[in-house]
Structures are given as C-alpha cells and as structure tokens.
Amino acid sequence: SRSNRRRSTAGVMSMPPRCPSPSAMIFLFLAAFHHRTMVVEGLVEMPGWFQDHMVLTTNFMYGERPYLNGRASPHEKVVITVGTTKYTVFADEEGTWAVTLNPKKYTNKPVTISVVGGGGSAPIVATDVVYGDVYLCGGQSNMEFPLSLSLNATAEIAAAV
C-alpha cells in the first residue's frame, strides 16, 4: 500500500530548527512555572488513621487536647472544620502542618471533620467521629469481670451506648 512506502530524503536539505525569541522563551518558562504551581497547590494529605468512625482521644480532666496533622504544599493554607468549629493553619516550608483542637469532654455525639487546602481541592472528610478514650485490655480468663458486679452497675449499663 502507499502508506507503507518511505519517501527518499536523499538530496533534500533540512532546515535547522528555529530558536524562539527571548520573549517567547520567557513566556514559555512562565507558562510552565504557572502550570506547575496550579498542579501542586491543594494537595492536602492526611495520615492513614484519619478515617470514618475514629475516636479522637482526649484527657479533658488533665487539659490534654487532641490534634490533627497532615501534609500540604509548602506554605499552603489548610482549613480544618470540626463540627461547627473552624481552624486555619499554614503548612511549613516542608509541607507539614498540625493543629491542636479545643479540649472536649468525652462524648458519644459524633461530629464530621473536613480538611481542605487553600487551592480549592475537594475536602478530605471523616464522619462519625467521637471524642473519648480507647482501652485495649488483654489477658487470660482470670481477668474476666462482669459489668453487673461493678459499682453503680445499673446506672453504668443504662448509660452504655
């Protein structure tokens, strides 16, 4: 077929590529830099533990406060919304950021947390988040203790969620 034939270039002089003018070079550099900036802005990342149904530990009686941390573009503004409270932080020159949340008492009323970068990217959201403590107990069968034997058992059982 004709499309598979090669044309001979013998005797044909090729022209050297034309160099762009200095103003065109500046425009191309600025366009590439601007494009790079647009792509990088708004890349907020959260650690793997940030997810739905998590428990933010708090020791309210001793003044300890939970915190959230993550990564973003260097110097990027990050807005964290916890329920109805908003926190604004800026990533450092390495792109890391952290925010200490207001102290909260233990609660079984879940909140939603959203994290969004200044570049207008879609928020990272965790739903059904509660404040409290998580206890992991381990041992043998001799550690068994029924709730019915605890102090104020009736009230504790009624208050259990």
Side-chain angles (χ1 to χ4, degrees):
S1 83
R2 289 184 128 172
S3 61
N4 290 338
R5 291 187 204 163
R6 291 187 170 186
R7 288 183 53 185
S8 171
T9 57
V12 177
M13 291 181 56
S14 63
M15 298 291 290
R18 185 172 166 232
C19 294
S21 68
S23 61
M25 290 290 287
I26 292 172
F27 173 78
L28 291 173
F29 173 78
L30 291 176
F33 181 78
H34 178 70
H35 176 70
R36 179 174 182 258
T37 304
M38 286 177 32
V39 171
V40 173
E41 274 185 13
L43 293 178
V44 175
E45 296 176 358
M46 295 299 292
W49 55 262
F50 184 84
Q51 54 188 302
D52 294 342
H53 318 296
M54 68 180 173
V55 177
L56 291 177
T57 59
T58 183
N59 197 345
F60 181 76
M61 294 170 54
Y62 299 103
E64 294 182 18
R65 298 163 51 177
Y67 73 95
L68 298 173
N69 64 333
R71 296 194 50 79
S73 300
H75 309 288
E76 182 175 358
K77 177 181 176 182
V78 180
V79 177
I80 302 98
T81 305
V82 181
T84 58
T85 306
K86 284 191 178 188
Y87 303 87
T88 301
V89 296
F90 290 87
D92 62 16
E93 47 281 334
E94 294 177 3
T96 59
W97 60 268
V99 61
T100 303
L101 306 178
N102 291 334
K104 290 277 191 177
K105 291 184 178 182
Y106 304 114
T107 178
N108 60 0
K109 181 183 176 195
V111 296
T112 298
I113 300 176
S114 70
V115 180
V116 66
S121 61
I124 300 170
V125 179
T127 60
D128 192 34
V129 177
V130 294
Y131 288 88
D133 287 322
V134 177
Y135 296 96
L136 299 176
C137 300
Q140 298 179 1
S141 61
N142 63 349
M143 294 185 68
E144 183 177 318
F145 186 81
L147 184 59
S148 61
L149 295 178
S150 65
L151 296 175
N152 302 322
T154 306
E156 291 295 331
I157 292 170
V161 178

